[in-house]
Amino acid sequence: MNLIDSALDAAVPDAREAMLLLALRRQIAFVRAGVPFWRARLAGAGVNENSIESLADLRRIPILTKDELRSVRPAALLPEGRSLDVAICRWTSGTSGRPTVSFWSDTDWAALAASTARMLGRQAPMPSPIAFNGYSQFHLTGPLYHAALRRLGGTVYDRSHHPEDLFPTLRQMELFDFDTLVLPGRAVRGKGIGLGDLMELDPDLLARHGVRWWIGSSGTFDAESLAWARAQGVESISNGYGASEFGLFSMSCARNPAHYHAGQGHVLVEVVDSSGALVQNGQPGRIVVTHLCGMTDDGQACVHGGTQLLRLAVGDGATLLTDPCECGLTAPRLCNVHRV
Ligand SMILES: [Zn+2]
């Protein structure tokens, strides 16, 4: 499986699933060998890498809840018996309880950045974007978009660390020329600032800067902001969706912005019913995600070496669509994403 090849999202679903299954079995073998927490949990469920013969067999692995995740010391989810390669460490916001932390090795981070670049690249209206990145560098999304845009040959100017009242984002943006703006639609939980907030302060912002591409995340783009951005000359709008434990794992469809194509590979995204089984096309369920792959320099998937999460319920529900999309991608779609 090559994580930098955009054909991965347009492949025949059976062919992609066969590659995901191989990666899954390799990852299960890895955690059984090196992570006592998972060795015990999988043994308790009677699961090993040889007993997973199809993605449907995943239902035998119990769903991990956020409460369970919080009850485990962070290092207990890291592989033992080798020198740890913890390159990136980021915490969740803690909306549903004590924040948790995830660690990525260098090859894990490469996989996440490359997969995000793969999802973004097909929506880029220019070959080498010049971006102002308004996301906080203390959280995951800021550094992730920075890394992904660099992979696309872009130049990225990051917002400073100052609070908004001390050094407003609008004043920072005036210091740069850029054609791509990386910013959420609305500020989340009163932190940072979103395009909707800036729009009220400076109605000609996007047109004056010549912004052609707006990139954001977590379904924060409302219809009013989308229409305003289009009217200001923005040609492409990319809205990523993910979770802080994993980073981005889906991107809005170019044809239907309310649908998110799952970027399978660095992670495995499922929508499951109350029994933990994958739902059928058109059915609602809970979103559960597995850390699946790191990536070597040539894009080939390798084992995920950092925090090991198999089937974590990320706290959201969605309706799953698995039929091919009119945009040309076959990657499964999440729609009607909502908190559960
Ligand atoms: Zn689509």
Side-chain angles (χ1 to χ4, degrees):
M1 184 161 57
N2 190 305
L3 298 180
I4 60 178
D5 183 359
S6 63
L8 183 60
D9 302 311
V12 175
D14 284 351
R16 183 175 49 241
E17 285 175 15
M19 291 188 280
L20 293 171
L21 180 62
L22 279 176
L24 180 66
R25 295 172 69 163
R26 178 178 61 198
Q27 195 66 29
I28 290 173
F30 180 77
V31 299
R32 288 181 63 242
V35 187
F37 170 85
W38 284 110
R39 189 183 308 137
R41 190 173 172 95
L42 292 170
V47 172
N48 63 45
E49 54 278 16
N50 297 316
S51 60
I52 302 293
E53 296 179 349
S54 72
L55 292 184
D57 287 339
L58 271 167
R59 65 171 175 264
R60 297 177 54 191
I61 301 178
I63 306 284
L64 186 70
T65 68
K66 290 210 176 189
D67 281 343
E68 288 177 303
L69 176 58
R70 275 189 284 269
S71 73
V72 182
R73 289 172 68 79
L77 295 174
L78 290 169
E80 60 177 12
R82 60 178 208 163
S83 60
L84 283 175
D85 166 27
V86 173
I88 300 284
C89 163
R90 284 294 182 281
W91 291 78
T92 62
S93 62
T95 45
S96 56
R98 179 180 62 75
T100 58
V101 64
S102 288
F103 303 107
W104 285 262
S105 70
D106 278 319
T107 48
D108 299 342
W109 183 253
L112 176 58
S115 300
T116 303
R118 192 182 84 231
M119 292 188 277
L120 280 176
R122 61 175 66 95
Q123 302 185 355
M126 72 288 283
S128 303
I130 300 172
F132 182 84
N133 178 7
Y135 276 86
S136 165
Q137 294 295 307
F138 295 123
H139 300 283
L140 181 60
T141 313
L144 177 54
Y145 274 136
H146 186 117
L149 285 165
R150 282 189 61 206
R151 280 192 163 267
L152 294 176
T155 303
V156 188
Y157 306 122
D158 290 328
R159 190 198 183 287
S160 85
H161 61 282
H162 299 92
E164 193 63 22
D165 55 354
L166 199 65
F167 190 14
T169 300
L170 278 177
R171 270 182 59 203
Q172 297 187 32
M173 288 166 68
E174 294 304 321
L175 299 174
F176 298 98
D177 294 319
F178 53 92
D179 55 29
T180 298
L181 180 60
V182 185
L183 202 66
R186 295 276 171 188
V188 179
R189 300 179 69 214
K191 290 186 297 194
I193 196 155
L195 190 60
D197 310 302
L198 298 185
M199 177 171 83
E200 290 164 13
L201 297 168
D202 186 349
D204 298 323
L205 174 71
L206 296 179
R208 193 176 69 256
H209 279 287
V211 172
R212 298 169 58 198
W213 192 13
W214 174 24
I215 300 169
S217 65
S218 293
T220 54
F221 292 10
D222 56 51
E224 183 193 8
S225 300
L226 292 173
W228 177 72
R230 294 281 185 198
Q232 294 263 308
V234 172
E235 298 163 41
S236 179
I237 298 174
S238 301
N239 190 5
Y241 164 68
S244 303
E245 294 88 350
F246 299 96
L248 295 173
F249 51 72
S250 64
M251 188 64 61
S252 56
C253 171
R255 291 285 180 88
N256 188 338
H259 292 183
Y260 299 83
H261 283 283
Q264 305 280 48
H266 64 304
V267 291
L268 183 67
V269 182
E270 303 169 81
V271 180
V272 303
D273 64 19
S274 56
S275 74
L278 269 171
V279 302
Q280 299 294 310
N281 182 33
Q283 296 299 309
R286 281 192 297 168
I287 298 172
V288 303
V289 183
T290 294
H291 267 314
L292 193 60
C293 292
M295 188 189 91
T296 57
D297 287 345
D298 60 358
Q300 288 300 321
C302 62
V303 75
H304 178 93
T307 296
Q308 301 297 323
L309 295 173
L310 303 182
R311 307 197 88 203
L312 176 71
V314 299
D316 286 343
T319 298
L320 180 70
L321 298 176
T322 57
D323 49 335
C325 181
E326 59 180 326
C327 75
L329 299 185
T330 59
R333 281 167 286 162
L334 309 169
C335 63
N336 185 30
V337 176
H338 58 280
R339 298 300 289 178
V340 292

